[in-house]
Amino acid sequence: MIWFIVVLLVVVAAWMALRLLPAGADGHMPLPYLIAFTRYLWIPGFVAALLAAWSGLWWLTLIAAALALAAPAFDLPYLRHLWSLQDWSGTQPSSPAAARGRDMVPGRPTYRVMTLNCRYGHADARAIVDAVRERNIAVLALQEMDAGLIERLDDAGLGAMLPRHQLGNMHITDNGGYNGIWTALPVNASTPMTVDIPAAESPGIVVPLASGASAGTGGPCAGTDGPMAVGASLDTSAATTATTMSGDAAPEASGPTAASPERTILFVSAHPKSPMRGCADWSRGIIGLGAVHETLRAGDIAVVMGDLNSTNHHPSFRRLLRSGFRDAAMARGRGRVLTFPSWLAWPRLELDHVLFTDGHGVVVDEISSFPVPGSDHLALTATLRMS
């Protein structure tokens, strides 16, 4: 029995130590999958502690108990505000009216965002549009889309609520489909590929940091063909314009130009490859999203949303955070918001994220997940307030 317990503890300790690898070293099979389940290593640790206690091996019991407690301890950054006295229920507002009431804070622009992996375009378009309407979404990021889903979204009325959008260009190497982003906010610029990573293109839109988020009409998106260049976030001189869902060109720009000092927010829909499509590309894609900051001017904000195929246990994801991002669930501090798989309540992982530029006073008022028929991921929504 003692040797079984010792071997079990060694395996648990070695498995837990994988999260300490250098960023990029986790890009080898099967490390991404092993590291993803680090948070559940308390289970074998607890079993080892019970066996050791039952055998009267108290020194092994203490070691096993320490390992069992170490795994959930990694969740502590997500629990910093769990016992705050602020009003919080962990769920979405009960009605659209309540949501709208929480969205508008005088003098503090607030944006409700949503992201969803559409599972090869199989997600229910009507359910997506209903969620946008009921939850008062200002910016919608979708991944793994196909042309059929785009058509169904149009038929369901997405363009009437979020008339401006930018899609990534389709490629045969896309991981599950292409990505897109929609909004009803005024848009200064857009690009199908914000940064060049080995995955489906990550489209982005740039909106002015106005006095409050609104679902009203605004200026058009100016398109670019390649990765967004430094300073291009306010470039409205490009020849092409983004279109509405109906395919009509947006009206002529009346917003800020490249010479305007107005601060902006860059919203990006991203989906690095899953490890099964290539571990090295998986790691490079996650780390490569950090280059989004190179597209910003001083004082501007980036919000990256999507199925990032990683958790904070992965060294590659933590490298992305160190590039200047904060994770919305971690910033909210009420616990992890788990999103995959949708069909299994436990064990579930937080593969979908909303990240935002650190150090610019962004406050996460709310973050939660909910099911969408046809997708193997839960949709993720967050309310971001500029304080």
Side-chain angles (χ1 to χ4, degrees):
M1 177 67 75
I2 185 172
W3 286 111
F4 174 79
I5 297 173
V6 169
V7 170
L8 181 58
L9 291 179
V10 169
V11 170
V12 170
W15 192 335
M16 199 173 295
L18 293 177
R19 75 184 308 275
L20 303 178
L21 290 170
D26 50 345
H28 301 278
M29 192 67 77
L31 295 183
Y33 295 99
L34 293 176
I35 295 172
F37 285 93
T38 298
R39 71 186 306 259
Y40 296 107
L41 289 177
W42 65 269
I43 299 173
F46 182 69
V47 170
L50 288 179
L51 292 175
W54 181 72
S55 302
L57 304 170
W58 300 114
W59 60 280
L60 276 181
T61 301
L62 292 176
I63 295 174
L67 284 176
L69 292 174
F74 295 127
D75 283 358
L76 291 179
Y78 289 89
L79 301 172
R80 288 177 296 177
H81 306 302
L82 183 61
W83 295 280
S84 169
L85 296 180
Q86 298 176 6
D87 177 35
W88 179 79
S89 63
T91 61
Q92 289 287 351
S94 58
S95 69
R100 282 189 288 272
R102 295 180 63 158
D103 276 351
M104 299 303 294
V105 179
R108 296 181 179 181
T110 303
Y111 304 89
R112 190 181 297 280
V113 302
M114 169 178 161
T115 180
L116 173 69
N117 179 312
C118 298
R119 191 175 175 264
Y120 310 117
H122 295 156
D124 188 311
R126 174 62 63 181
I128 294 173
V129 173
D130 288 346
V132 169
R133 180 185 302 107
E134 295 167 3
R135 298 167 189 272
N136 199 35
I137 300 300
V139 183
L140 171 68
L142 299 178
Q143 304 87 47
E144 287 199 15
M145 299 187 301
D146 62 10
L149 177 59
I150 298 294
E151 183 177 352
R152 295 195 301 275
L153 289 170
D154 194 4
D155 293 341
L158 182 60
M161 291 181 292
L162 306 178
R164 301 167 188 83
H165 74 281
Q166 176 66 62
L167 305 179
N169 294 314
M170 292 179 288
H171 300 281
I172 194 172
T173 56
D174 285 348
N175 42 312
Y178 55 98
N179 307 324
I181 191 162
W182 282 257
T183 188
L185 301 171
V187 176
N188 292 348
S190 75
T191 177
M193 184 168 60
T194 310
V195 291
D196 188 8
I197 63 173
E201 292 185 358
S202 303
I205 58 173
V206 179
V207 306
L209 184 56
S211 59
S214 153
T217 59
C221 308
T224 57
D225 293 328
M228 189 178 286
V230 176
S233 60
L234 286 176
D235 181 8
T236 59
S237 61
T240 59
T241 60
T243 61
T244 63
M245 281 292 290
S246 63
D248 299 326
E252 186 173 342
S254 59
T257 65
S260 171
E262 183 177 36
R263 293 177 65 199
T264 62
I265 306 178
L266 168 64
F267 291 98
V268 179
S269 178
H271 184 209
K273 287 183 177 179
S274 66
M276 70 176 63
R277 296 177 183 271
C279 275
D281 283 348
W282 165 81
S283 175
R284 284 195 293 266
I286 296 168
I287 296 173
L289 288 173
V292 165
H293 286 297
E294 298 176 8
T295 72
L296 303 178
R297 303 171 309 171
D300 288 348
I301 297 170
V303 177
V304 175
M305 304 179 283
D307 171 13
L308 303 188
N309 276 312
S310 53
T311 76
N312 78 312
H313 293 297
H314 291 105
S316 293
F317 182 77
R318 296 201 303 276
R319 166 72 68 82
L320 173 59
L321 294 183
R322 290 197 300 272
S323 72
F325 281 112
R326 290 194 72 190
D327 181 88
M330 193 180 297
R332 180 61 176 153
R334 306 287 190 174
R336 294 180 186 270
V337 182
L338 310 180
T339 59
F340 179 85
S342 61
W343 44 267
L344 187 65
W346 189 92
R348 188 176 278 171
L349 303 172
E350 73 284 13
L351 299 187
D352 302 81
H353 300 268
V354 174
L355 309 181
F356 57 87
T357 303
D358 196 8
H360 286 69
V362 179
V363 176
V364 182
D365 285 338
E366 186 174 44
I367 181 167
S368 60
S369 59
F370 63 94
V372 173
S375 175
D376 54 350
H377 287 245
L378 298 181
L380 183 67
T381 64
T383 302
L384 307 179
R385 173 167 47 90
M386 310 301 145
S387 65

